[in-house]
mmCIF file with all atom_site columns, all heavy atoms in Angstrom:
data_model
loop_
_atom_site.group_PDB
_atom_site.id
_atom_site.type_symbol
_atom_site.label_atom_id
_atom_site.label_alt_id
_atom_site.label_comp_id
_atom_site.label_asym_id
_atom_site.label_entity_id
_atom_site.label_seq_id
_atom_site.pdbx_PDB_ins_code
_atom_site.Cartn_x
_atom_site.Cartn_y
_atom_site.Cartn_z
_atom_site.occupancy
_atom_site.B_iso_or_equiv
_atom_site.pdbx_formal_charge
_atom_site.auth_seq_id
_atom_site.auth_comp_id
_atom_site.auth_asym_id
_atom_site.auth_atom_id
_atom_site.pdbx_PDB_model_num
ATOM 1   N N   . PRO C 1 35  ? 19.274  9.355   23.275  1.00 69.00 ? 40  PRO C N   1
ATOM 2   C CA  . PRO C 1 35  ? 18.811  8.059   22.679  1.00 69.00 ? 40  PRO C CA  1
ATOM 3   C C   . PRO C 1 35  ? 17.364  7.829   22.781  1.00 69.00 ? 40  PRO C C   1
ATOM 4   O O   . PRO C 1 35  ? 16.708  8.168   23.746  1.00 69.00 ? 40  PRO C O   1
ATOM 5   C CB  . PRO C 1 35  ? 19.685  7.067   23.514  1.00 69.00 ? 40  PRO C CB  1
ATOM 6   C CG  . PRO C 1 35  ? 19.862  7.728   24.784  1.00 69.00 ? 40  PRO C CG  1
ATOM 7   C CD  . PRO C 1 35  ? 19.964  9.221   24.526  1.00 69.00 ? 40  PRO C CD  1
ATOM 8   N N   . LEU C 1 60  ? -2.909  -14.708 1.584   1.00 82.00 ? 65  LEU C N   1
ATOM 9   C CA  . LEU C 1 60  ? -3.150  -16.081 1.317   1.00 82.00 ? 65  LEU C CA  1
ATOM 10  C C   . LEU C 1 60  ? -4.675  -16.414 1.240   1.00 82.00 ? 65  LEU C C   1
ATOM 11  O O   . LEU C 1 60  ? -4.943  -17.354 0.492   1.00 82.00 ? 65  LEU C O   1
ATOM 12  C CB  . LEU C 1 60  ? -2.556  -16.899 2.619   1.00 82.00 ? 65  LEU C CB  1
ATOM 13  C CG  . LEU C 1 60  ? -1.012  -17.007 2.736   1.00 82.00 ? 65  LEU C CG  1
ATOM 14  C CD1 . LEU C 1 60  ? -0.643  -17.805 3.957   1.00 82.00 ? 65  LEU C CD1 1
ATOM 15  C CD2 . LEU C 1 60  ? -0.491  -17.633 1.448   1.00 82.00 ? 65  LEU C CD2 1
ATOM 16  N N   . GLN C 1 75  ? 10.158  -18.703 -8.755  1.00 85.00 ? 80  GLN C N   1
ATOM 17  C CA  . GLN C 1 75  ? 10.052  -17.944 -10.068 1.00 85.00 ? 80  GLN C CA  1
ATOM 18  C C   . GLN C 1 75  ? 10.592  -16.547 -9.904  1.00 85.00 ? 80  GLN C C   1
ATOM 19  O O   . GLN C 1 75  ? 10.098  -15.716 -10.646 1.00 85.00 ? 80  GLN C O   1
ATOM 20  C CB  . GLN C 1 75  ? 8.490   -17.969 -10.430 1.00 85.00 ? 80  GLN C CB  1
ATOM 21  C CG  . GLN C 1 75  ? 7.870   -19.271 -10.611 1.00 85.00 ? 80  GLN C CG  1
ATOM 22  C CD  . GLN C 1 75  ? 8.692   -20.267 -11.536 1.00 85.00 ? 80  GLN C CD  1
ATOM 23  O OE1 . GLN C 1 75  ? 9.042   -19.816 -12.599 1.00 85.00 ? 80  GLN C OE1 1
ATOM 24  N NE2 . GLN C 1 75  ? 9.000   -21.492 -11.018 1.00 85.00 ? 80  GLN C NE2 1
ATOM 25  N N   . LEU C 1 112 ? 24.209  -0.546  13.581  1.00 91.00 ? 117 LEU C N   1
ATOM 26  C CA  . LEU C 1 112 ? 24.786  0.380   12.416  1.00 91.00 ? 117 LEU C CA  1
ATOM 27  C C   . LEU C 1 112 ? 24.638  -0.213  11.187  1.00 91.00 ? 117 LEU C C   1
ATOM 28  O O   . LEU C 1 112 ? 24.501  0.517   10.210  1.00 91.00 ? 117 LEU C O   1
ATOM 29  C CB  . LEU C 1 112 ? 26.273  0.613   12.861  1.00 91.00 ? 117 LEU C CB  1
ATOM 30  C CG  . LEU C 1 112 ? 26.550  1.491   14.082  1.00 91.00 ? 117 LEU C CG  1
ATOM 31  C CD1 . LEU C 1 112 ? 28.086  1.576   14.326  1.00 91.00 ? 117 LEU C CD1 1
ATOM 32  C CD2 . LEU C 1 112 ? 25.947  2.904   13.902  1.00 91.00 ? 117 LEU C CD2 1
ATOM 33  N N   . ILE C 1 132 ? 4.277   -5.640  -9.132  1.00 93.00 ? 137 ILE C N   1
ATOM 34  C CA  . ILE C 1 132 ? 3.357   -6.600  -9.582  1.00 93.00 ? 137 ILE C CA  1
ATOM 35  C C   . ILE C 1 132 ? 2.217   -6.008  -10.445 1.00 93.00 ? 137 ILE C C   1
ATOM 36  O O   . ILE C 1 132 ? 1.838   -6.561  -11.456 1.00 93.00 ? 137 ILE C O   1
ATOM 37  C CB  . ILE C 1 132 ? 2.647   -7.398  -8.396  1.00 93.00 ? 137 ILE C CB  1
ATOM 38  C CG1 . ILE C 1 132 ? 3.736   -8.149  -7.566  1.00 93.00 ? 137 ILE C CG1 1
ATOM 39  C CG2 . ILE C 1 132 ? 1.548   -8.197  -8.823  1.00 93.00 ? 137 ILE C CG2 1
ATOM 40  C CD1 . ILE C 1 132 ? 3.305   -8.605  -6.257  1.00 93.00 ? 137 ILE C CD1 1
ATOM 41  N N   . PRO C 1 172 ? 6.688   10.464  26.416  1.00 82.00 ? 177 PRO C N   1
ATOM 42  C CA  . PRO C 1 172 ? 5.681   11.609  26.227  1.00 82.00 ? 177 PRO C CA  1
ATOM 43  C C   . PRO C 1 172 ? 6.372   13.018  26.415  1.00 82.00 ? 177 PRO C C   1
ATOM 44  O O   . PRO C 1 172 ? 5.840   13.983  25.964  1.00 82.00 ? 177 PRO C O   1
ATOM 45  C CB  . PRO C 1 172 ? 4.794   11.446  27.424  1.00 82.00 ? 177 PRO C CB  1
ATOM 46  C CG  . PRO C 1 172 ? 5.518   10.439  28.320  1.00 82.00 ? 177 PRO C CG  1
ATOM 47  C CD  . PRO C 1 172 ? 6.437   9.601   27.566  1.00 82.00 ? 177 PRO C CD  1
ATOM 48  N N   . ARG C 1 194 ? -1.248  11.100  -5.776  1.00 94.00 ? 199 ARG C N   1
ATOM 49  C CA  . ARG C 1 194 ? -2.386  10.117  -6.180  1.00 94.00 ? 199 ARG C CA  1
ATOM 50  C C   . ARG C 1 194 ? -3.428  10.957  -6.887  1.00 94.00 ? 199 ARG C C   1
ATOM 51  O O   . ARG C 1 194 ? -4.013  10.421  -7.880  1.00 94.00 ? 199 ARG C O   1
ATOM 52  C CB  . ARG C 1 194 ? -2.931  9.389   -4.991  1.00 94.00 ? 199 ARG C CB  1
ATOM 53  C CG  . ARG C 1 194 ? -4.176  8.576   -5.331  1.00 94.00 ? 199 ARG C CG  1
ATOM 54  C CD  . ARG C 1 194 ? -3.701  7.334   -6.039  1.00 94.00 ? 199 ARG C CD  1
ATOM 55  N NE  . ARG C 1 194 ? -4.824  6.437   -6.080  1.00 94.00 ? 199 ARG C NE  1
ATOM 56  C CZ  . ARG C 1 194 ? -5.403  6.007   -7.286  1.00 94.00 ? 199 ARG C CZ  1
ATOM 57  N NH1 . ARG C 1 194 ? -4.923  6.540   -8.424  1.00 94.00 ? 199 ARG C NH1 1
ATOM 58  N NH2 . ARG C 1 194 ? -6.316  5.184   -7.317  1.00 94.00 ? 199 ARG C NH2 1
ATOM 59  N N   . VAL C 1 222 ? -18.771 1.791   -33.118 1.00 71.00 ? 227 VAL C N   1
ATOM 60  C CA  . VAL C 1 222 ? -19.274 0.393   -32.978 1.00 71.00 ? 227 VAL C CA  1
ATOM 61  C C   . VAL C 1 222 ? -20.139 0.266   -31.726 1.00 71.00 ? 227 VAL C C   1
ATOM 62  O O   . VAL C 1 222 ? -19.763 0.660   -30.672 1.00 71.00 ? 227 VAL C O   1
ATOM 63  C CB  . VAL C 1 222 ? -18.105 -0.651  -32.933 1.00 71.00 ? 227 VAL C CB  1
ATOM 64  C CG1 . VAL C 1 222 ? -18.751 -2.052  -32.715 1.00 71.00 ? 227 VAL C CG1 1
ATOM 65  C CG2 . VAL C 1 222 ? -17.250 -0.551  -34.095 1.00 71.00 ? 227 VAL C CG2 1
ATOM 66  N N   . LYS C 1 223 ? -21.327 -0.216  -31.909 1.00 71.00 ? 228 LYS C N   1
ATOM 67  C CA  . LYS C 1 223 ? -22.255 -0.266  -30.771 1.00 71.00 ? 228 LYS C CA  1
ATOM 68  C C   . LYS C 1 223 ? -22.524 -1.751  -30.359 1.00 71.00 ? 228 LYS C C   1
ATOM 69  O O   . LYS C 1 223 ? -22.905 -2.525  -31.253 1.00 71.00 ? 228 LYS C O   1
ATOM 70  C CB  . LYS C 1 223 ? -23.623 0.354   -31.119 1.00 71.00 ? 228 LYS C CB  1
ATOM 71  C CG  . LYS C 1 223 ? -24.549 0.487   -29.943 1.00 71.00 ? 228 LYS C CG  1
ATOM 72  C CD  . LYS C 1 223 ? -25.816 1.237   -30.345 1.00 71.00 ? 228 LYS C CD  1
ATOM 73  C CE  . LYS C 1 223 ? -26.788 1.391   -29.174 1.00 71.00 ? 228 LYS C CE  1
ATOM 74  N NZ  . LYS C 1 223 ? -28.046 2.099   -29.504 1.00 71.00 ? 228 LYS C NZ  1
ATOM 75  N N   . PRO C 1 250 ? -16.852 11.084  -4.563  1.00 90.00 ? 255 PRO C N   1
ATOM 76  C CA  . PRO C 1 250 ? -17.046 11.082  -3.193  1.00 90.00 ? 255 PRO C CA  1
ATOM 77  C C   . PRO C 1 250 ? -16.107 10.127  -2.465  1.00 90.00 ? 255 PRO C C   1
ATOM 78  O O   . PRO C 1 250 ? -15.720 10.517  -1.293  1.00 90.00 ? 255 PRO C O   1
ATOM 79  C CB  . PRO C 1 250 ? -18.589 10.669  -3.081  1.00 90.00 ? 255 PRO C CB  1
ATOM 80  C CG  . PRO C 1 250 ? -19.119 11.108  -4.454  1.00 90.00 ? 255 PRO C CG  1
ATOM 81  C CD  . PRO C 1 250 ? -17.999 10.836  -5.441  1.00 90.00 ? 255 PRO C CD  1
ATOM 82  N N   . ALA C 1 255 ? -11.340 9.718   1.077   1.00 95.00 ? 260 ALA C N   1
ATOM 83  C CA  . ALA C 1 255 ? -9.876  9.328   1.316   1.00 95.00 ? 260 ALA C CA  1
ATOM 84  C C   . ALA C 1 255 ? -9.084  10.577  1.776   1.00 95.00 ? 260 ALA C C   1
ATOM 85  O O   . ALA C 1 255 ? -8.277  10.546  2.622   1.00 95.00 ? 260 ALA C O   1
ATOM 86  C CB  . ALA C 1 255 ? -9.264  8.654   0.129   1.00 95.00 ? 260 ALA C CB  1
ATOM 87  N N   . LEU C 1 267 ? -2.884  15.211  14.147  1.00 94.00 ? 272 LEU C N   1
ATOM 88  C CA  . LEU C 1 267 ? -1.412  15.181  14.512  1.00 94.00 ? 272 LEU C CA  1
ATOM 89  C C   . LEU C 1 267 ? -0.902  16.568  14.916  1.00 94.00 ? 272 LEU C C   1
ATOM 90  O O   . LEU C 1 267 ? -0.159  16.742  15.827  1.00 94.00 ? 272 LEU C O   1
ATOM 91  C CB  . LEU C 1 267 ? -0.685  14.708  13.252  1.00 94.00 ? 272 LEU C CB  1
ATOM 92  C CG  . LEU C 1 267 ? -0.765  13.323  12.739  1.00 94.00 ? 272 LEU C CG  1
ATOM 93  C CD1 . LEU C 1 267 ? -0.067  13.124  11.440  1.00 94.00 ? 272 LEU C CD1 1
ATOM 94  C CD2 . LEU C 1 267 ? -0.059  12.413  13.963  1.00 94.00 ? 272 LEU C CD2 1
ATOM 95  N N   . ALA C 1 290 ? -7.446  4.580   7.312   1.00 96.00 ? 295 ALA C N   1
ATOM 96  C CA  . ALA C 1 290 ? -8.747  4.578   6.622   1.00 96.00 ? 295 ALA C CA  1
ATOM 97  C C   . ALA C 1 290 ? -8.594  5.259   5.295   1.00 96.00 ? 295 ALA C C   1
ATOM 98  O O   . ALA C 1 290 ? -9.166  4.844   4.357   1.00 96.00 ? 295 ALA C O   1
ATOM 99  C CB  . ALA C 1 290 ? -9.773  5.271   7.549   1.00 96.00 ? 295 ALA C CB  1
ATOM 100 N N   . VAL C 1 292 ? -5.894  5.615   3.395   1.00 96.00 ? 297 VAL C N   1
ATOM 101 C CA  . VAL C 1 292 ? -5.110  4.804   2.501   1.00 96.00 ? 297 VAL C CA  1
ATOM 102 C C   . VAL C 1 292 ? -5.998  3.600   2.045   1.00 96.00 ? 297 VAL C C   1
ATOM 103 O O   . VAL C 1 292 ? -5.891  3.196   0.913   1.00 96.00 ? 297 VAL C O   1
ATOM 104 C CB  . VAL C 1 292 ? -3.798  4.320   3.211   1.00 96.00 ? 297 VAL C CB  1
ATOM 105 C CG1 . VAL C 1 292 ? -3.082  3.288   2.284   1.00 96.00 ? 297 VAL C CG1 1
ATOM 106 C CG2 . VAL C 1 292 ? -2.905  5.547   3.452   1.00 96.00 ? 297 VAL C CG2 1
#
Side-chain angles (χ1 to χ4, degrees):
L65 290 179
Q80 306 304 313
L117 290 175
I137 294 172
R199 179 69 172 115
V227 177
K228 187 175 181 180
L272 289 174
V297 175

